[in-house]
Amino acid sequence: MTYMQQTEEVRKVLMQKGHEWRAINPEYVVRMRLQNRFQTGLDIARYTADIMRRDMAEYDQDPGRYTQSLGAWHGFVAQQTMMSVKKNFKSLDKRYIYLSGWMVAALRSEFGPLPDQSMHEKTAVASLIGEIYTFLKQADARELRHLFADLDSARAAGKDLGPVLAKIDNFETHVVPIIADIDAGFGNEEATYLLAKKMIEAGACAIQIENQVSDAKQCGHQAGKVTVPHEDFVSKLHAIRYAFLELGVENGIIVARTDSLGADLTQKIPVSQRPGDLGHKYCDFLKATPVKDLSELKEGDVTIHQNGVLCKPERLDNGLYAFKENTGFDRVVLDCVTSLEHGADLLWIETEKPNLQQIGDMVKAIRKSRPEAKLVYNNSPSFNWTLKFREQVYDDWKAAGKDMSAYPDPKKFDKGLMDVKLDDSELALEADRLIQNFQRDASREAGIFHHLITLPTYHETALGVDMLSSGYFGAEGMLAYVKGIQRQEIRRDLASVKHQDLAGSNIGDDHKEYFLGEKALLAGGAANTMNQF
């Protein structure tokens, strides 16, 4: 219903209540309802799941219609991201928020900063989801409040209300999908199910889970990763799906992440029931040596059959088993196909570099079995994008026979191509062009539906604080803040310039007037310094 239709509906309800409710203004009721459109996290999860399903279908029709997100470690960061996108592009279509377990560990744990090893409190992720949606809903309330003020001004001036009412009726919410990181599930299947429920109840429509061992989980860009057999991972996919269905979020999204490309170890050997099953395939990847004589075996040694041959798998002193070298590609493909066969909706392949050829080759192999396969890809700050793309251009040009004598050979000079003197060189400009086009190219050629950056606002905050601190505590003094921040905020038309309004002061004043009328003590009077802006 339109704003005016809703107002009339509330008016009818109030009239039925008699004189006791005569002080309640039906238009104010409608305003408060519109400013609080989503009553629960489940309302948000259902709404945003439908958005993601629609976007996935549109991507299947046109790979140019990919989606993007930035990682947020605080509700304010997510709010400002979406407000900026809406201000600059007039729409939030195909823009999401990513919630990184790494940033929760590093920035939101009560233990203090932690490594990305599932050491932080389980509920910290669900709490951050709720916080993010609180801030996104507040962005709605603030923007709508300005429209309501415009409506009141137009009415007082006797102007046509149509244009303002159209903006209210066609208002686009800042509430967008969140892809939330549940790490490796924080325990067994039941633990995964219980945490998934908390995340969904907070508003998550998409949950990403990885195939590492939960109690040995490592950051995807560090060494020492240990994967689990497929049956263990599949059970957690099922646990998440049951959580979605139990809570009535039938369109919930599961993102199955494989770390097998960089994982060389496994914790246990699965049992194969029949030739060619998942246990058989998993065991076939184990690094093992044939047993020629049983007398070779020592106390505690373990043996398996690999294609009919009795073998002893290589076991480390910590009891973990090693995979054969150069099997990462094939293990990734099997992981992905298996995940899709057991209810995953999207895939995540953690790679060691942003290489289009590498990603595309794996996706092509997966699509031989599952043509619908599409990826969520981590445009990771753990990659040195400048160096890797300059190396790629160097190698490509050298292979094409181009004279490369003007550039340091990356095989001889470690990080030589990072020299700032090269920034305006032909090689550097070509590398930057490839970086700029990476998301478009990868979505078209490598099946990437969603591009995210896990930790951008972690690095952005560090950089911004460093620049402010070095100036403010140095010779620039107050000018460092005024010139570097406030003046830029004003000229870029950021809502944060009027920080009282952004934090909800004017919304609070509105409520005071709703509740008390002209006698309300308001904060937004003539003495409010925000009137300077």
Side-chain angles (χ1 to χ4, degrees), residues 82-115:
M82 290 301 109
M83 289 179 69
S84 176
V85 171
K86 193 172 184 181
K87 175 176 69 75
N88 288 294
F89 303 101
K90 312 306 178 187
S91 174
L92 297 173
D93 185 41
K94 296 181 172 50
R95 274 79 173 208
Y96 306 165
I97 290 293
Y98 179 67
L99 193 156
S100 162
W102 192 102
M103 286 210 287
V104 172
L107 299 171
R108 299 302 301 260
S109 173
E110 293 185 11
F111 293 107
L114 295 172

PDB file of all heavy atoms in Angstrom, residues 82-115:
ATOM      1  N   MET A  82      26.804   1.096   2.495  1.00  0.00           N
ATOM      2  CA  MET A  82      25.561   1.090   1.726  1.00  0.00           C
ATOM      3  C   MET A  82      25.032   2.495   1.470  1.00  0.00           C
ATOM      4  O   MET A  82      24.486   2.782   0.403  1.00  0.00           O
ATOM      5  CB  MET A  82      24.511   0.244   2.443  1.00  0.00           C
ATOM      6  CG  MET A  82      24.811  -1.249   2.434  1.00  0.00           C
ATOM      7  SD  MET A  82      24.928  -1.921   0.739  1.00  0.00           S
ATOM      8  CE  MET A  82      26.696  -2.233   0.610  1.00  0.00           C
ATOM      9  N   MET A  83      25.204   3.400   2.425  1.00  0.00           N
ATOM     10  CA  MET A  83      24.791   4.787   2.191  1.00  0.00           C
ATOM     11  C   MET A  83      25.615   5.411   1.075  1.00  0.00           C
ATOM     12  O   MET A  83      25.098   6.172   0.247  1.00  0.00           O
ATOM     13  CB  MET A  83      24.917   5.593   3.482  1.00  0.00           C
ATOM     14  CG  MET A  83      23.890   5.237   4.540  1.00  0.00           C
ATOM     15  SD  MET A  83      24.053   6.189   6.087  1.00  0.00           S
ATOM     16  CE  MET A  83      23.556   7.813   5.529  1.00  0.00           C
ATOM     17  N   SER A  84      26.913   5.090   1.036  1.00  0.00           N
ATOM     18  CA  SER A  84      27.779   5.617  -0.017  1.00  0.00           C
ATOM     19  C   SER A  84      27.373   5.069  -1.385  1.00  0.00           C
ATOM     20  O   SER A  84      27.298   5.813  -2.368  1.00  0.00           O
ATOM     21  CB  SER A  84      29.239   5.272   0.280  1.00  0.00           C
ATOM     22  OG  SER A  84      30.077   5.691  -0.787  1.00  0.00           O
ATOM     23  N   VAL A  85      27.115   3.769  -1.442  1.00  0.00           N
ATOM     24  CA  VAL A  85      26.711   3.163  -2.713  1.00  0.00           C
ATOM     25  C   VAL A  85      25.415   3.794  -3.211  1.00  0.00           C
ATOM     26  O   VAL A  85      25.277   4.145  -4.392  1.00  0.00           O
ATOM     27  CB  VAL A  85      26.546   1.635  -2.561  1.00  0.00           C
ATOM     28  CG1 VAL A  85      25.908   1.028  -3.813  1.00  0.00           C
ATOM     29  CG2 VAL A  85      27.898   0.971  -2.301  1.00  0.00           C
ATOM     30  N   LYS A  86      24.461   3.946  -2.312  1.00  0.00           N
ATOM     31  CA  LYS A  86      23.172   4.514  -2.710  1.00  0.00           C
ATOM     32  C   LYS A  86      23.327   5.962  -3.158  1.00  0.00           C
ATOM     33  O   LYS A  86      22.704   6.395  -4.144  1.00  0.00           O
ATOM     34  CB  LYS A  86      22.186   4.412  -1.547  1.00  0.00           C
ATOM     35  CG  LYS A  86      20.739   4.691  -1.940  1.00  0.00           C
ATOM     36  CD  LYS A  86      19.801   4.393  -0.783  1.00  0.00           C
ATOM     37  CE  LYS A  86      18.349   4.573  -1.198  1.00  0.00           C
ATOM     38  NZ  LYS A  86      17.415   4.314  -0.087  1.00  0.00           N
ATOM     39  N   LYS A  87      24.161   6.723  -2.459  1.00  0.00           N
ATOM     40  CA  LYS A  87      24.382   8.125  -2.822  1.00  0.00           C
ATOM     41  C   LYS A  87      25.032   8.257  -4.190  1.00  0.00           C
ATOM     42  O   LYS A  87      24.650   9.097  -5.003  1.00  0.00           O
ATOM     43  CB  LYS A  87      25.254   8.798  -1.755  1.00  0.00           C
ATOM     44  CG  LYS A  87      25.666  10.235  -2.083  1.00  0.00           C
ATOM     45  CD  LYS A  87      26.433  10.868  -0.939  1.00  0.00           C
ATOM     46  CE  LYS A  87      27.799  10.247  -0.740  1.00  0.00           C
ATOM     47  NZ  LYS A  87      28.760  10.697  -1.799  1.00  0.00           N
ATOM     48  N   ASN A  88      26.013   7.400  -4.447  1.00  0.00           N
ATOM     49  CA  ASN A  88      26.805   7.539  -5.664  1.00  0.00           C
ATOM     50  C   ASN A  88      26.212   6.838  -6.881  1.00  0.00           C
ATOM     51  O   ASN A  88      26.422   7.279  -8.021  1.00  0.00           O
ATOM     52  CB  ASN A  88      28.225   7.007  -5.429  1.00  0.00           C
ATOM     53  CG  ASN A  88      29.041   7.924  -4.535  1.00  0.00           C
ATOM     54  OD1 ASN A  88      29.350   9.047  -4.911  1.00  0.00           O
ATOM     55  ND2 ASN A  88      29.393   7.462  -3.344  1.00  0.00           N
ATOM     56  N   PHE A  89      25.462   5.751  -6.648  1.00  0.00           N
ATOM     57  CA  PHE A  89      24.949   4.975  -7.772  1.00  0.00           C
ATOM     58  C   PHE A  89      23.426   4.922  -7.833  1.00  0.00           C
ATOM     59  O   PHE A  89      22.864   4.295  -8.725  1.00  0.00           O
ATOM     60  CB  PHE A  89      25.521   3.552  -7.731  1.00  0.00           C
ATOM     61  CG  PHE A  89      27.033   3.523  -7.749  1.00  0.00           C
ATOM     62  CD1 PHE A  89      27.752   3.329  -6.577  1.00  0.00           C
ATOM     63  CD2 PHE A  89      27.729   3.725  -8.920  1.00  0.00           C
ATOM     64  CE1 PHE A  89      29.136   3.320  -6.578  1.00  0.00           C
ATOM     65  CE2 PHE A  89      29.117   3.722  -8.942  1.00  0.00           C
ATOM     66  CZ  PHE A  89      29.833   3.514  -7.771  1.00  0.00           C
ATOM     67  N   LYS A  90      22.769   5.542  -6.855  1.00  0.00           N
ATOM     68  CA  LYS A  90      21.303   5.657  -6.819  1.00  0.00           C
ATOM     69  C   LYS A  90      20.583   4.331  -6.645  1.00  0.00           C
ATOM     70  O   LYS A  90      19.357   4.282  -6.726  1.00  0.00           O
ATOM     71  CB  LYS A  90      20.768   6.345  -8.094  1.00  0.00           C
ATOM     72  CG  LYS A  90      21.491   7.626  -8.470  1.00  0.00           C
ATOM     73  CD  LYS A  90      21.538   8.620  -7.327  1.00  0.00           C
ATOM     74  CE  LYS A  90      22.316   9.873  -7.704  1.00  0.00           C
ATOM     75  NZ  LYS A  90      22.517  10.788  -6.549  1.00  0.00           N
ATOM     76  N   SER A  91      21.310   3.260  -6.418  1.00  0.00           N
ATOM     77  CA  SER A  91      20.692   1.953  -6.216  1.00  0.00           C
ATOM     78  C   SER A  91      21.658   1.032  -5.488  1.00  0.00           C
ATOM     79  O   SER A  91      22.887   1.167  -5.630  1.00  0.00           O
ATOM     80  CB  SER A  91      20.320   1.325  -7.563  1.00  0.00           C
ATOM     81  OG  SER A  91      19.855  -0.006  -7.385  1.00  0.00           O
ATOM     82  N   LEU A  92      21.091   0.098  -4.721  1.00  0.00           N
ATOM     83  CA  LEU A  92      21.895  -0.904  -4.023  1.00  0.00           C
ATOM     84  C   LEU A  92      21.823  -2.255  -4.723  1.00  0.00           C
ATOM     85  O   LEU A  92      22.250  -3.267  -4.162  1.00  0.00           O
ATOM     86  CB  LEU A  92      21.416  -1.038  -2.580  1.00  0.00           C
ATOM     87  CG  LEU A  92      21.572   0.233  -1.740  1.00  0.00           C
ATOM     88  CD1 LEU A  92      20.925   0.060  -0.371  1.00  0.00           C
ATOM     89  CD2 LEU A  92      23.033   0.593  -1.581  1.00  0.00           C
ATOM     90  N   ASP A  93      21.298  -2.271  -5.921  1.00  0.00           N
ATOM     91  CA  ASP A  93      21.145  -3.514  -6.663  1.00  0.00           C
ATOM     92  C   ASP A  93      22.479  -4.240  -6.805  1.00  0.00           C
ATOM     93  O   ASP A  93      23.474  -3.660  -7.233  1.00  0.00           O
ATOM     94  CB  ASP A  93      20.572  -3.214  -8.051  1.00  0.00           C
ATOM     95  CG  ASP A  93      20.269  -4.471  -8.853  1.00  0.00           C
ATOM     96  OD1 ASP A  93      19.751  -5.440  -8.267  1.00  0.00           O
ATOM     97  OD2 ASP A  93      20.558  -4.487 -10.063  1.00  0.00           O
ATOM     98  N   LYS A  94      22.504  -5.504  -6.402  1.00  0.00           N
ATOM     99  CA  LYS A  94      23.650  -6.397  -6.539  1.00  0.00           C
ATOM    100  C   LYS A  94      24.853  -5.987  -5.678  1.00  0.00           C
ATOM    101  O   LYS A  94      25.982  -6.390  -5.936  1.00  0.00           O
ATOM    102  CB  LYS A  94      24.050  -6.555  -8.003  1.00  0.00           C
ATOM    103  CG  LYS A  94      22.933  -7.239  -8.795  1.00  0.00           C
ATOM    104  CD  LYS A  94      23.246  -7.468 -10.226  1.00  0.00           C
ATOM    105  CE  LYS A  94      22.142  -8.322 -10.852  1.00  0.00           C
ATOM    106  NZ  LYS A  94      20.772  -7.813 -10.580  1.00  0.00           N
ATOM    107  N   ARG A  95      24.577  -5.225  -4.627  1.00  0.00           N
ATOM    108  CA  ARG A  95      25.613  -4.893  -3.652  1.00  0.00           C
ATOM    109  C   ARG A  95      25.245  -5.521  -2.315  1.00  0.00           C
ATOM    110  O   ARG A  95      24.128  -5.344  -1.829  1.00  0.00           O
ATOM    111  CB  ARG A  95      25.733  -3.376  -3.484  1.00  0.00           C
ATOM    112  CG  ARG A  95      26.655  -2.704  -4.491  1.00  0.00           C
ATOM    113  CD  ARG A  95      26.027  -2.488  -5.828  1.00  0.00           C
ATOM    114  NE  ARG A  95      26.894  -1.692  -6.705  1.00  0.00           N
ATOM    115  CZ  ARG A  95      26.433  -0.912  -7.673  1.00  0.00           C
ATOM    116  NH1 ARG A  95      25.135  -0.813  -7.902  1.00  0.00           N
ATOM    117  NH2 ARG A  95      27.280  -0.227  -8.433  1.00  0.00           N
ATOM    118  N   TYR A  96      26.189  -6.249  -1.731  1.00  0.00           N
ATOM    119  CA  TYR A  96      25.966  -6.951  -0.476  1.00  0.00           C
ATOM    120  C   TYR A  96      26.980  -6.482   0.572  1.00  0.00           C
ATOM    121  O   TYR A  96      27.835  -5.642   0.322  1.00  0.00           O
ATOM    122  CB  TYR A  96      26.136  -8.470  -0.645  1.00  0.00           C
ATOM    123  CG  TYR A  96      25.320  -9.149  -1.717  1.00  0.00           C
ATOM    124  CD1 TYR A  96      25.662 -10.452  -2.130  1.00  0.00           C
ATOM    125  CD2 TYR A  96      24.225  -8.549  -2.322  1.00  0.00           C
ATOM    126  CE1 TYR A  96      24.939 -11.106  -3.100  1.00  0.00           C
ATOM    127  CE2 TYR A  96      23.489  -9.204  -3.294  1.00  0.00           C
ATOM    128  CZ  TYR A  96      23.860 -10.491  -3.693  1.00  0.00           C
ATOM    129  OH  TYR A  96      23.137 -11.130  -4.667  1.00  0.00           O
ATOM    130  N   ILE A  97      26.865  -7.102   1.744  1.00  0.00           N
ATOM    131  CA  ILE A  97      27.864  -6.956   2.803  1.00  0.00           C
ATOM    132  C   ILE A  97      28.459  -8.342   3.069  1.00  0.00           C
ATOM    133  O   ILE A  97      27.740  -9.343   3.082  1.00  0.00           O
ATOM    134  CB  ILE A  97      27.230  -6.415   4.105  1.00  0.00           C
ATOM    135  CG1 ILE A  97      26.807  -4.949   3.927  1.00  0.00           C
ATOM    136  CG2 ILE A  97      28.186  -6.543   5.286  1.00  0.00           C
ATOM    137  CD1 ILE A  97      27.968  -3.985   3.742  1.00  0.00           C
ATOM    138  N   TYR A  98      29.768  -8.393   3.264  1.00  0.00           N
ATOM    139  CA  TYR A  98      30.406  -9.643   3.666  1.00  0.00           C
ATOM    140  C   TYR A  98      30.825  -9.533   5.119  1.00  0.00           C
ATOM    141  O   TYR A  98      31.344  -8.503   5.556  1.00  0.00           O
ATOM    142  CB  TYR A  98      31.629  -9.958   2.798  1.00  0.00           C
ATOM    143  CG  TYR A  98      32.316 -11.234   3.221  1.00  0.00           C
ATOM    144  CD1 TYR A  98      31.668 -12.456   3.064  1.00  0.00           C
ATOM    145  CD2 TYR A  98      33.561 -11.217   3.827  1.00  0.00           C
ATOM    146  CE1 TYR A  98      32.262 -13.642   3.485  1.00  0.00           C
ATOM    147  CE2 TYR A  98      34.165 -12.394   4.246  1.00  0.00           C
ATOM    148  CZ  TYR A  98      33.512 -13.599   4.067  1.00  0.00           C
ATOM    149  OH  TYR A  98      34.097 -14.770   4.515  1.00  0.00           O
ATOM    150  N   LEU A  99      30.597 -10.602   5.872  1.00  0.00           N
ATOM    151  CA  LEU A  99      30.992 -10.650   7.276  1.00  0.00           C
ATOM    152  C   LEU A  99      32.081 -11.697   7.429  1.00  0.00           C
ATOM    153  O   LEU A  99      31.846 -12.890   7.293  1.00  0.00           O
ATOM    154  CB  LEU A  99      29.784 -10.985   8.154  1.00  0.00           C
ATOM    155  CG  LEU A  99      29.970 -10.774   9.659  1.00  0.00           C
ATOM    156  CD1 LEU A  99      28.622 -10.567  10.334  1.00  0.00           C
ATOM    157  CD2 LEU A  99      30.666 -11.961  10.290  1.00  0.00           C
ATOM    158  N   SER A 100      33.277 -11.235   7.711  1.00  0.00           N
ATOM    159  CA  SER A 100      34.466 -12.079   7.748  1.00  0.00           C
ATOM    160  C   SER A 100      34.754 -12.600   9.148  1.00  0.00           C
ATOM    161  O   SER A 100      34.846 -11.821  10.107  1.00  0.00           O
ATOM    162  CB  SER A 100      35.671 -11.268   7.248  1.00  0.00           C
ATOM    163  OG  SER A 100      36.886 -11.864   7.632  1.00  0.00           O
ATOM    164  N   GLY A 101      34.926 -13.907   9.262  1.00  0.00           N
ATOM    165  CA  GLY A 101      35.352 -14.483  10.532  1.00  0.00           C
ATOM    166  C   GLY A 101      36.716 -13.974  10.947  1.00  0.00           C
ATOM    167  O   GLY A 101      37.010 -13.847  12.145  1.00  0.00           O
ATOM    168  N   TRP A 102      37.557 -13.686   9.966  1.00  0.00           N
ATOM    169  CA  TRP A 102      38.888 -13.137  10.269  1.00  0.00           C
ATOM    170  C   TRP A 102      38.750 -11.820  11.020  1.00  0.00           C
ATOM    171  O   TRP A 102      39.404 -11.593  12.038  1.00  0.00           O
ATOM    172  CB  TRP A 102      39.664 -12.916   8.967  1.00  0.00           C
ATOM    173  CG  TRP A 102      41.131 -12.618   9.139  1.00  0.00           C
ATOM    174  CD1 TRP A 102      42.166 -13.476   8.967  1.00  0.00           C
ATOM    175  CD2 TRP A 102      41.709 -11.349   9.507  1.00  0.00           C
ATOM    176  NE1 TRP A 102      43.364 -12.833   9.204  1.00  0.00           N
ATOM    177  CE2 TRP A 102      43.106 -11.527   9.540  1.00  0.00           C
ATOM    178  CE3 TRP A 102      41.187 -10.098   9.809  1.00  0.00           C
ATOM    179  CZ2 TRP A 102      43.989 -10.502   9.853  1.00  0.00           C
ATOM    180  CZ3 TRP A 102      42.064  -9.069  10.139  1.00  0.00           C
ATOM    181  CH2 TRP A 102      43.446  -9.275  10.155  1.00  0.00           C
ATOM    182  N   MET A 103      37.872 -10.931  10.515  1.00  0.00           N
ATOM    183  CA  MET A 103      37.732  -9.633  11.168  1.00  0.00           C
ATOM    184  C   MET A 103      37.021  -9.740  12.514  1.00  0.00           C
ATOM    185  O   MET A 103      37.303  -8.958  13.427  1.00  0.00           O
ATOM    186  CB  MET A 103      37.020  -8.642  10.246  1.00  0.00           C
ATOM    187  CG  MET A 103      37.917  -8.156   9.117  1.00  0.00           C
ATOM    188  SD  MET A 103      37.554  -6.480   8.515  1.00  0.00           S
ATOM    189  CE  MET A 103      36.044  -6.748   7.621  1.00  0.00           C
ATOM    190  N   VAL A 104      36.107 -10.695  12.645  1.00  0.00           N
ATOM    191  CA  VAL A 104      35.485 -10.914  13.951  1.00  0.00           C
ATOM    192  C   VAL A 104      36.557 -11.325  14.957  1.00  0.00           C
ATOM    193  O   VAL A 104      36.614 -10.815  16.079  1.00  0.00           O
ATOM    194  CB  VAL A 104      34.385 -11.986  13.875  1.00  0.00           C
ATOM    195  CG1 VAL A 104      33.878 -12.349  15.259  1.00  0.00           C
ATOM    196  CG2 VAL A 104      33.218 -11.491  13.027  1.00  0.00           C
ATOM    197  N   ALA A 105      37.433 -12.253  14.548  1.00  0.00           N
ATOM    198  CA  ALA A 105      38.505 -12.704  15.438  1.00  0.00           C
ATOM    199  C   ALA A 105      39.463 -11.562  15.777  1.00  0.00           C
ATOM    200  O   ALA A 105      39.852 -11.372  16.931  1.00  0.00           O
ATOM    201  CB  ALA A 105      39.262 -13.859  14.801  1.00  0.00           C
ATOM    202  N   ALA A 106      39.834 -10.794  14.765  1.00  0.00           N
ATOM    203  CA  ALA A 106      40.851  -9.761  14.957  1.00  0.00           C
ATOM    204  C   ALA A 106      40.327  -8.525  15.677  1.00  0.00           C
ATOM    205  O   ALA A 106      41.093  -7.825  16.346  1.00  0.00           O
ATOM    206  CB  ALA A 106      41.428  -9.349  13.602  1.00  0.00           C
ATOM    207  N   LEU A 107      39.004  -8.265  15.568  1.00  0.00           N
ATOM    208  CA  LEU A 107      38.497  -6.979  16.033  1.00  0.00           C
ATOM    209  C   LEU A 107      37.317  -7.043  16.994  1.00  0.00           C
ATOM    210  O   LEU A 107      37.015  -6.050  17.660  1.00  0.00           O
ATOM    211  CB  LEU A 107      38.079  -6.120  14.824  1.00  0.00           C
ATOM    212  CG  LEU A 107      39.179  -5.787  13.825  1.00  0.00           C
ATOM    213  CD1 LEU A 107      38.574  -5.135  12.586  1.00  0.00           C
ATOM    214  CD2 LEU A 107      40.200  -4.857  14.445  1.00  0.00           C
ATOM    215  N   ARG A 108      36.635  -8.184  17.087  1.00  0.00           N
ATOM    216  CA  ARG A 108      35.385  -8.205  17.842  1.00  0.00           C
ATOM    217  C   ARG A 108      35.343  -9.219  18.978  1.00  0.00           C
ATOM    218  O   ARG A 108      34.313  -9.392  19.609  1.00  0.00           O
ATOM    219  CB  ARG A 108      34.209  -8.484  16.886  1.00  0.00           C
ATOM    220  CG  ARG A 108      34.016  -7.455  15.783  1.00  0.00           C
ATOM    221  CD  ARG A 108      33.814  -6.055  16.351  1.00  0.00           C
ATOM    222  NE  ARG A 108      32.665  -5.989  17.216  1.00  0.00           N
ATOM    223  CZ  ARG A 108      31.476  -5.522  16.849  1.00  0.00           C
ATOM    224  NH1 ARG A 108      31.294  -5.049  15.641  1.00  0.00           N
ATOM    225  NH2 ARG A 108      30.478  -5.496  17.698  1.00  0.00           N
ATOM    226  N   SER A 109      36.434  -9.883  19.244  1.00  0.00           N
ATOM    227  CA  SER A 109      36.443 -10.888  20.302  1.00  0.00           C
ATOM    228  C   SER A 109      36.704 -10.263  21.663  1.00  0.00           C
ATOM    229  O   SER A 109      37.511  -9.330  21.791  1.00  0.00           O
ATOM    230  CB  SER A 109      37.509 -11.955  20.028  1.00  0.00           C
ATOM    231  OG  SER A 109      37.621 -12.835  21.138  1.00  0.00           O
ATOM    232  N   GLU A 110      36.047 -10.781  22.697  1.00  0.00           N
ATOM    233  CA  GLU A 110      36.294 -10.308  24.055  1.00  0.00           C
ATOM    234  C   GLU A 110      37.670 -10.734  24.558  1.00  0.00           C
ATOM    235  O   GLU A 110      38.157 -10.208  25.567  1.00  0.00           O
ATOM    236  CB  GLU A 110      35.200 -10.825  24.990  1.00  0.00           C
ATOM    237  CG  GLU A 110      33.830 -10.228  24.700  1.00  0.00           C
ATOM    238  CD  GLU A 110      32.775 -10.658  25.693  1.00  0.00           C
ATOM    239  OE1 GLU A 110      33.145 -11.259  26.722  1.00  0.00           O
ATOM    240  OE2 GLU A 110      31.589 -10.380  25.455  1.00  0.00           O
ATOM    241  N   PHE A 111      38.297 -11.682  23.875  1.00  0.00           N
ATOM    242  CA  PHE A 111      39.664 -12.079  24.236  1.00  0.00           C
ATOM    243  C   PHE A 111      40.687 -11.055  23.759  1.00  0.00           C
ATOM    244  O   PHE A 111      41.853 -11.120  24.121  1.00  0.00           O
ATOM    245  CB  PHE A 111      40.012 -13.438  23.625  1.00  0.00           C
ATOM    246  CG  PHE A 111      39.231 -14.589  24.191  1.00  0.00           C
ATOM    247  CD1 PHE A 111      38.229 -15.196  23.455  1.00  0.00           C
ATOM    248  CD2 PHE A 111      39.502 -15.080  25.463  1.00  0.00           C
ATOM    249  CE1 PHE A 111      37.508 -16.266  23.978  1.00  0.00           C
ATOM    250  CE2 PHE A 111      38.788 -16.140  25.985  1.00  0.00           C
ATOM    251  CZ  PHE A 111      37.784 -16.738  25.241  1.00  0.00           C
ATOM    252  N   GLY A 112      40.256 -10.132  22.904  1.00  0.00           N
ATOM    253  CA  GLY A 112      41.181  -9.215  22.268  1.00  0.00           C
ATOM    254  C   GLY A 112      41.518  -9.728  20.878  1.00  0.00           C
ATOM    255  O   GLY A 112      40.952 -10.721  20.414  1.00  0.00           O
ATOM    256  N   PRO A 113      42.445  -9.073  20.168  1.00  0.00           N
ATOM    257  CA  PRO A 113      42.796  -9.499  18.818  1.00  0.00           C
ATOM    258  C   PRO A 113      43.274 -10.946  18.789  1.00  0.00           C
ATOM    259  O   PRO A 113      44.140 -11.346  19.571  1.00  0.00           O
ATOM    260  CB  PRO A 113      43.921  -8.541  18.424  1.00  0.00           C
ATOM    261  CG  PRO A 113      43.717  -7.345  19.298  1.00  0.00           C
ATOM    262  CD  PRO A 113      43.181  -7.872  20.595  1.00  0.00           C
ATOM    263  N   LEU A 114      42.695 -11.732  17.863  1.00  0.00           N
ATOM    264  CA  LEU A 114      43.008 -13.152  17.745  1.00  0.00           C
ATOM    265  C   LEU A 114      43.330 -13.503  16.301  1.00  0.00           C
ATOM    266  O   LEU A 114      42.851 -12.838  15.373  1.00  0.00           O
ATOM    267  CB  LEU A 114      41.819 -14.004  18.205  1.00  0.00           C
ATOM    268  CG  LEU A 114      41.397 -13.935  19.667  1.00  0.00           C
ATOM    269  CD1 LEU A 114      40.094 -14.697  19.866  1.00  0.00           C
ATOM    270  CD2 LEU A 114      42.488 -14.504  20.564  1.00  0.00           C
ATOM    271  N   PRO A 115      44.098 -14.564  16.070  1.00  0.00           N
ATOM    272  CA  PRO A 115      44.300 -15.056  14.703  1.00  0.00           C
ATOM    273  C   PRO A 115      43.036 -15.746  14.197  1.00  0.00           C
ATOM    274  O   PRO A 115      42.128 -16.068  14.966  1.00  0.00           O
ATOM    275  CB  PRO A 115      45.460 -16.053  14.856  1.00  0.00           C
ATOM    276  CG  PRO A 115      45.334 -16.543  16.264  1.00  0.00           C
ATOM    277  CD  PRO A 115      44.852 -15.362  17.059  1.00  0.00           C
TER     278      PRO A 115
END
